[in-house]
Amino acid sequence: VSTQSTWGIFGHTVDIFNGVIITEKLDDMITEDFSKRLAESLNIWSEEKRRGVWCEIPLAKAEFIAICASCGFTFHHAKGSIAMMTLWLPKYEENRIPSFATHYIGVGGIVIRDDTEEILVIKERKSRFAADLWKIPGGLVEQNEYIKEGAVREVREETGIESEFVGLLAFREKLNYLFGHPDLYFVALLKPLTTELKPDPREVKEARWMPVQEFVDQPVLIETQRKIAYLALAKLRNQQPMTCLLYTSPSPRDS
């Protein structure tokens, strides 16, 4: 969603996570106007229950940094002639703005029950893809966390399922991801230790155990996920070497 500027609120877009990205050019704005409009914009976005706010400050307007800081903004990253500052608006909710990095490492958990050959899948509450798309659970690996730990944690947080790391099944790399940096996505094969689903309502709309064939037959399924489901099933049947490269991609869309 994109919103043009008025005299009060800044021009901005709203991302899929209900965050705000200020898109209005600040180069020609005077300090007094920036201060007043920032305060008004934050009041409105708070009333609208927006979440993260992203504000890119050009080097020529470095004086705006102190104004942002007085409103609670902190530095996210700086590069060349810009400084990116962020603010988390919900006062009683953990800040979920991702940290800056030179590479982003994501992980997906393939959890398949041996007894039924059903795969653990979710529908995300906020998705870049089709609203009714079933996908494997996963997310970004946290700082000071191993990939295998991140896979187990993401599955537990999103679905309530406890699992055990078996090994890496596949990975893919993507260029020009967030802030133009590369993204590495690893797929871990996990053994389920529990089967009762307890999805996180903040992130997950629905979770279920689904027959693998039903999962791969989805007409809108992301091709990467179709491939890794087949790889996981083959591995369980002792037909597939453990780790393979899915593909490299310059596209920011597939994951």
Side-chain angles (χ1 to χ4, degrees):
V1 179
S2 179
T3 303
Q4 298 297 319
S5 64
T6 63
W7 171 244
I9 194 169
F10 285 127
H12 63 282
T13 60
V14 177
D15 63 27
I16 64 169
F17 304 106
N18 199 31
V20 172
I21 303 168
I22 296 174
T23 55
E24 187 169 345
K25 297 298 182 183
L26 306 179
D27 302 79
D28 298 325
M29 194 172 297
I30 64 173
T31 302
E32 183 180 0
D33 289 347
F34 177 81
S35 180
K36 290 180 179 178
R37 294 183 62 190
L38 180 63
E40 183 170 345
S41 296
L42 292 178
N43 285 335
I44 292 173
W45 293 332
S46 294
E47 292 174 359
E48 294 175 343
K49 299 188 183 305
R50 303 300 183 195
R51 295 160 70 80
V53 181
W54 299 76
C55 182
E56 183 177 288
I57 308 294
L59 182 60
K61 293 295 180 180
E63 65 270 22
F64 292 176
I65 291 174
I67 298 171
C68 286
S70 69
C71 294
F73 281 79
T74 57
F75 286 116
H76 187 265
H77 66 274
K79 185 177 181 180
S81 61
I82 67 99
M84 180 66 77
M85 303 190 73
T86 59
L87 173 66
W88 184 251
L89 288 176
K91 296 184 181 300
Y92 304 105
E93 188 177 333
E94 178 188 0
N95 187 338
R96 303 180 72 85
I97 294 176
S99 300
F100 183 68
T102 58
H103 288 68
Y104 287 88
I105 301 178
V107 63
I110 286 276
V111 189
I112 298 181
R113 295 177 57 172
D114 289 335
D115 55 344
T116 62
E117 289 195 346
E118 291 178 310
I119 187 172
L120 179 63
V121 293
I122 64 168
K123 285 184 180 179
E124 293 179 317
R125 191 163 294 282
K126 303 176 182 69
S127 176
R128 297 182 178 88
F129 308 103
D132 292 326
L133 174 71
W134 290 100
K135 64 182 292 290
I136 63 172
L140 290 176
V141 175
E142 295 180 349
Q143 292 182 351
N144 300 315
E145 182 178 54
Y146 288 109
I147 291 171
K148 64 180 183 179
E149 296 171 341
V152 170
R153 173 187 53 77
E154 283 289 343
V155 167
R156 180 179 61 250
E157 289 179 353
E158 293 188 348
T159 70
I161 296 296
E162 296 290 345
S163 62
E164 179 180 76
F165 178 79
V166 176
L168 287 179
L169 184 67
F171 70 98
R172 70 102 180 90
E173 59 181 344
K174 177 195 300 179
L175 302 180
N176 299 315
Y177 187 56
L178 294 177
F179 313 110
H181 292 298
D183 174 55
L184 299 173
Y185 179 68
F186 293 88
V187 182
L189 185 62
L190 306 176
K191 176 183 177 181
L193 301 178
T194 61
T195 58
E196 182 182 358
L197 296 168
K198 300 175 182 177
D200 180 356
R202 297 173 302 174
E203 297 187 34
V204 177
K205 185 161 54 175
E206 192 175 351
R208 62 172 288 201
W209 293 100
M210 178 183 288
V212 173
Q213 195 60 51
E214 181 181 345
F215 175 70
V216 300
D217 285 343
Q218 291 183 92
V220 294
L221 182 63
I222 303 165
E223 188 58 30
T224 306
Q225 303 233 341
R226 192 188 315 275
K227 291 178 180 178
I228 57 182
Y230 278 130
L231 287 172
L233 194 56
K235 176 61 185 176
L236 290 176
R237 295 171 178 174
N238 298 314
Q239 298 170 347
Q240 175 66 36
M242 176 50 74
T243 306
C244 75
L245 171 64
L246 290 173
Y247 66 90
T248 61
S249 172
S251 169
R253 295 186 58 81
D254 197 17
S255 57

